[in-house]
Amino acid sequence: MKANAPSLVASFGQARNGPGLLFMLPAAAFLLCFLAYPLGVGTWLGFTDTRIGRAGVFIGLENYQSLWNDSVFWLSVFNTILYTVAASALKFALGLWLALILNENLPLKSFFRAIVLLPWVVPTVLSAIAFWWIYDSQFSVISWVLMRLGLIDAPINFLGDATNARASVIAANVWRGIPFVAISLLAGLQTIPPSLQEAASLDGATSWQRFRHVTLPMLSPIIAVVMTFSVLFTFTDFQLIYVLTKGGPVNATHLMATLSFQRGIPGGQLGEGAAIAVAMTPFLLAAILFSFFGLQRRRWQQGGAD
Amino acid sequence: MNISRRDLMAGAAGLAGATGLGLPAFAQEPEYKPEAGASLRLLRWAPFVKGDEDSWIANTKKFTEKTGVEVKIDKESWEDIRPKAAVAANVGSGPDIMLVWFDDAQQYPEKLMDLSPLGNYLGAKYGGWYPGVEGYARRDGKFIALPLAAIGNAILYRDSHVQAAGFKQFPKDTAGLLELCKAMKAKGTPAGFAHGKAVGDGNNYAHWLLWSHGGKMVDESSKVTINSPETIAALNYAKALYQTFIPGTESWLDINNNRAFLAGQISLTANGVSLYYSAKNDPKLADIAKDIRSVNFPIGPVGKPMELTQTTSCIVFKHTKFPLAAQAYLKFMYEADQMNAWLTGSSAYCCQPLRAFESNPVWTSDPVHAPYAKSSATLQPNGYAGPLGYASAAVMADYVVVDMFAEAVTGQRTPEEAAKRAEQRAMRYYRI
């Protein structure tokens, strides 16, 4: 063994991949310590009955069985999916629209581009508090204006009614998420060579046809990445809900993330909170797989039909 | 059955504690000589009333001058206290002393120092602990914490609006309150109580509704009994009362009723005394402040006051390096001079844990303070009538009672369905 050691080191150093592996070590260690390990511990917690202040024992799937029979949990799953789908679709449509407008030759172009980023720059908690006032059941500025205009005679119950509350939190999330989508797509639009558009125009393509058969396919890799991130951010949203409603009225806006926190930290049941967080992973994986395999189809990108 | 031995020992300790009560030997004054070079770290909830913090710091300064022990006081937003305390208990480091909420101490009793000598001494010297606050701090006959205060919650109303609604006196029972609220709504000066996820106000109001009608989450043996005719009666009453409120109270968090009251949108709500001080300290609101009166929650069919009331206790972690200094500090802070200064400084926000301090001048210095003096005496523990512990804490944190009332009053479910659902939700925690 002893005799072998130097030669092993030597051959490792001379091998083509040896130094490469060595250089990857810090990154791998970083990923293991700060991503894989917490994720692993979180998953493990979900299989235990750990409470705050007491180490737990392995209880198998008991947390998940109990969640399966918990109507509040299923309500939060429904809310999360509704919230993610509605907010992401709106963010995509409005963001793309905004990106297309900003890609035109507008006067004061860079000024507008900077302005668009504002909602993204403001810390979430601050914008959430602003929305909290906007949606206040007594002091809402929207209600106030509409009442002054004589359109309604009582303040709108933004956060008290289940449907209104859901629409309100989705609107707040969309407002906050649009800049990310718009600016990223704008960057993507600028990578499309103008010659392609010109060629299409010369072939007599209408602007809709140019958009559908040139812009959109060229943009789709960017769309895939941007929407993956957007869906992930939306799915795991927490601060907005926590400031606006804490999951109310009667859990109508409870997301899986907020429920996980409520059960895990103030409720003291770390195991169950972790189980809810782990239950989010299949949905997140599905969203990632969909956007990667669904939106990055080669043939579609090349303008062909499926 | 390896639990039986532990149970036996716990029972024995309880017995010893019970028989020891009242014996002079047990209430002997304990002497704590701080360790050489001791220093302490205390973590408390961020104060709601400035005078509370000022007098606490002033008392601490006196302690440092007397003993030379430095005490570093940190504060955290009140919602962060529960996780911070739990982590400190688990990890075995961090602050030596903490001020915690409700049943926090019951979550990790084995990590906390036994403060029984101090608890028994203070109880004997100052007229006894109120059973409500004491319950949160004792387990198996031992003091695992020292009860510090109840944060009172009482009805605050605009006197002129109640008079205008035709009531010379504030009604004493639940039926009278409903009549009053109906009359106030007719006059355009409605009431409003939080039905949203308001940790303090929402829980206080919902538990009062439930308990005053005889409903209980669990019985003495932790059997879930929420789905009862009494609960249905409470839900029906809440529904009728809700009809008289300003719209939107189902979205209210803790601060909303303060804002609505100070803006003149509502004329009757329940809150800590801090609402009164917000008006009193603002010259623009002088008219409202002069018009504010306070009263305890009316009495329901059960015939006695039944309120939840937030409570706070002092805990000392076993991991402290300076247990004697920590106990010396607490002893000093609870002695009459300091406790009286603190209660006065808190201007009726904090209600005393020991009966002797009922005579503190703060309770008579302003008529609005008076109802808050009774908080410690009238409160029932969370999870009444069952024991305190992990299930009671989890049920409150999951807003089971608050949600049940919100579902019923908004018509999302019938009272019967709402009670049934609360039963199912509570069962998840009380199953063991």
Side-chain angles (χ1 to χ4, degrees):
Chain A
M1 277 308 283
K2 232 176 187 179
N4 275 349
S7 72
L8 258 181
V9 170
S11 66
F12 180 78
Q14 280 155 15
R16 266 182 90 181
N17 293 329
L21 285 175
L22 206 64
F23 290 137
M24 271 158 58
L25 260 183
F30 184 85
L31 286 176
L32 276 176
C33 289
F34 297 108
L35 288 171
Y37 173 70
L39 193 69
V41 173
T43 314
W44 164 250
L45 274 180
F47 292 107
T48 68
D49 62 350
T50 309
R51 289 181 211 144
I52 280 190
R54 196 200 75 177
V57 292
F58 180 77
I59 53 164
L61 290 172
E62 214 172 281
N63 282 330
Y64 296 94
Q65 276 166 0
S66 146
L67 285 174
W68 188 268
N69 298 320
D70 176 16
S71 52
V72 177
F73 170 71
W74 285 113
L75 183 61
S76 80
V77 172
F78 168 78
N79 291 336
T80 311
I81 293 174
L82 176 77
Y83 184 75
T84 309
V85 170
S88 300
L90 282 169
K91 274 188 274 196
F92 173 65
L94 295 170
L96 181 61
W97 183 48
L98 204 58
L100 289 170
I101 293 175
L102 289 175
N103 198 33
E104 300 296 317
N105 273 317
L106 295 172
L108 298 174
K109 194 158 66 176
S110 23
F111 173 72
F112 282 119
R113 285 181 187 175
I115 287 273
V116 165
L117 267 179
L118 272 183
W120 182 254
V121 175
V122 181
T124 313
V125 171
L126 290 189
S127 50
I129 289 173
F131 271 104
W132 191 39
W133 279 99
I134 292 174
Y135 293 147
D136 191 285
S137 52
Q138 272 77 44
F139 306 103
S140 161
V141 65
I142 302 175
S143 300
W144 185 81
V145 169
L146 292 178
M147 278 161 78
R148 277 293 160 106
L149 292 175
L151 295 175
I152 52 173
D153 30 292
I156 302 169
N157 194 0
F158 284 106
L159 298 176
D161 173 83
T163 315
N164 285 356
R166 287 179 179 139
S168 302
V169 291
I170 289 172
N173 180 281
V174 168
W175 176 85
R176 191 178 149 68
I178 282 181
F180 172 71
V181 178
I183 295 294
S184 310
L185 292 184
L186 178 62
L189 281 175
Q190 295 186 335
T191 64
I192 301 175
S195 55
L196 287 180
Q197 302 280 9
E198 284 162 20
S201 313
L202 290 177
D203 288 343
T206 63
S207 58
W208 168 250
Q209 282 170 326
R210 266 186 289 141
F211 173 72
R212 170 69 185 79
H213 295 290
V214 179
T215 312
L216 212 49
M218 293 294 289
L219 204 56
S220 68
I222 301 277
I223 293 178
V225 173
V226 169
M227 288 320 290
T228 309
F229 275 106
S230 175
V231 165
L232 295 188
F233 290 149
T234 318
F235 198 89
T236 54
D237 196 6
F238 175 84
Q239 303 172 64
L240 195 67
I241 300 289
Y242 204 69
V243 172
L244 284 180
T245 65
K246 288 209 167 129
V250 205
N251 304 319
T253 60
H254 238 320
L255 303 183
M256 290 167 86
T258 49
L259 188 69
S260 163
F261 173 78
Q262 181 180 304
R263 296 264 167 92
I265 305 297
Q269 307 188 86
L270 280 180
E272 191 181 332
I276 297 174
V278 170
M280 292 166 77
T281 0
F283 295 101
L284 292 173
L285 277 179
I288 295 171
L289 292 179
F290 170 77
S291 57
F292 269 72
F293 292 105
L295 292 174
Q296 287 196 323
R297 287 168 305 181
R298 281 276 150 219
R299 282 174 59 194
W300 195 73
Q301 276 175 34
Q302 284 155 4
D306 286 314
Chain B
M1 284 295 277
N2 50 2
I3 305 167
S4 60
R5 190 172 144 254
R6 203 180 136 214
D7 279 356
L8 197 72
M9 290 177 66
L15 208 65
T19 49
L21 274 179
L23 286 179
F26 222 79
Q28 231 169 31
E29 179 166 355
E31 285 300 336
Y32 302 107
K33 194 177 174 303
E35 296 85 349
S39 68
L40 295 169
R41 275 184 62 200
L42 174 131
L43 182 61
R44 62 162 297 171
W45 32 271
F48 301 84
V49 180
K50 199 173 169 299
D52 153 17
E53 183 177 29
D54 293 347
S55 53
W56 188 274
I57 290 175
N59 284 341
T60 304
K61 216 172 186 174
K62 270 164 64 187
F63 174 74
T64 304
E65 278 161 15
K66 206 180 123 197
T67 61
V69 177
E70 290 288 340
V71 184
K72 186 172 181 295
I73 300 175
D74 296 314
K75 47 189 176 172
E76 284 284 347
S77 144
W78 66 272
E79 287 165 303
D80 296 332
I81 287 293
R82 172 162 288 179
K84 282 268 158 91
V87 169
N90 260 353
V91 179
S93 75
D96 306 286
I97 307 173
M98 265 189 90
L99 309 191
V100 295
W101 295 115
F102 282 123
D103 19 24
D104 280 348
Q106 306 284 339
Q107 313 283 322
Y108 28 80
E110 69 285 354
K111 308 282 168 83
L112 304 176
M113 234 174 83
D114 179 8
L115 300 173
S116 300
L118 192 52
N120 288 323
Y121 156 72
L122 289 168
K125 183 166 178 189
Y126 293 111
W129 303 95
Y130 294 98
V133 289
E134 191 182 3
Y136 282 105
R138 283 186 90 149
R139 194 175 176 103
D140 302 336
K142 285 191 299 189
F143 278 90
I144 51 172
L146 286 186
L148 179 62
I151 312 292
N153 199 278
I155 290 183
L156 290 161
Y157 63 95
R158 299 275 293 270
D159 192 37
S160 60
H161 295 173
V162 169
Q163 303 272 356
F167 283 74
K168 291 269 166 302
Q169 271 205 324
F170 201 91
K172 293 262 182 283
D173 57 8
T174 43
L177 179 69
L178 179 59
E179 289 314 309
L180 169 65
C181 289
K182 278 183 183 161
M184 289 182 76
K185 189 190 181 179
K187 289 274 177 193
T189 56
F193 292 89
H195 271 300
K197 302 215 160 181
V199 186
D201 297 337
N203 270 312
N204 268 313
Y205 176 57
H207 282 86
W208 166 74
L209 284 169
L210 178 67
W211 291 343
S212 64
H213 286 80
K216 287 173 193 169
M217 184 54 80
V218 292
D219 66 9
E220 285 78 358
S221 58
S222 288
K223 192 170 158 288
V224 176
T225 54
I226 186 75
N227 192 1
S228 65
E230 289 83 8
T231 306
I232 309 285
L235 289 165
N236 281 319
Y237 173 78
K239 227 176 145 171
L241 200 56
Y242 171 79
Q243 303 297 324
T244 69
F245 291 173
I246 191 171
T249 57
E250 61 276 12
S251 71
W252 277 7
L253 305 183
D254 276 292
I255 194 72
N256 290 72
N257 64 334
N258 296 254
R259 292 203 301 236
F261 191 93
L262 295 175
Q265 302 260 347
I266 53 169
S267 302
L268 191 160
T269 191
N271 206 74
V273 77
S274 48
L275 171 58
Y276 169 60
Y277 277 93
S278 314
K280 208 177 165 186
N281 295 337
D282 188 342
K284 278 180 289 190
L285 298 175
D287 289 342
I288 292 188
K290 256 185 275 166
D291 199 20
I292 292 180
R293 300 289 181 278
S294 64
V295 64
N296 286 110
F297 273 100
I299 291 172
V302 292
K304 60 172 184 167
M306 295 291 267
E307 288 167 43
L308 175 69
T309 311
Q310 240 142 323
T311 61
T312 180
S313 312
C314 300
I315 54 175
V316 179
F317 291 109
K318 268 189 187 152
H319 65 238
T320 177
K321 281 190 213 127
F322 309 109
L324 291 174
Q327 292 178 83
Y329 175 67
L330 287 183
K331 185 182 166 204
F332 181 81
M333 295 298 271
Y334 274 76
E335 294 286 4
D337 286 352
Q338 286 70 244
M339 184 52 90
N340 273 321
W342 182 64
L343 289 170
T344 311
S346 308
S347 33
Y349 192 78
C350 301
C351 181
Q352 68 279 343
L354 290 155
R355 290 186 194 275
F357 298 104
E358 264 168 37
S359 57
N360 188 291
V362 74
W363 304 120
T364 43
S365 66
D366 188 322
V368 174
H369 292 173
Y372 295 96
K374 298 180 205 146
S375 303
S376 295
T378 56
L379 73 88
Q380 296 291 342
N382 179 32
Y384 167 79
L388 289 162
Y390 122 87
S392 62
V395 165
M396 192 202 284
D398 214 22
Y399 298 96
V400 174
V401 179
V402 173
D403 281 352
M404 176 178 77
F405 279 99
E407 280 174 353
V409 299
T410 55
Q412 226 180 75
R413 280 166 209 269
T414 64
E416 289 75 14
E417 285 168 357
K420 189 149 179 274
R421 192 166 132 86
E423 181 183 34
Q424 288 165 351
R425 290 179 65 186
M427 291 276 220
R428 299 185 62 243
Y429 301 109
Y430 280 104
R431 70 196 150 176
I432 314 153

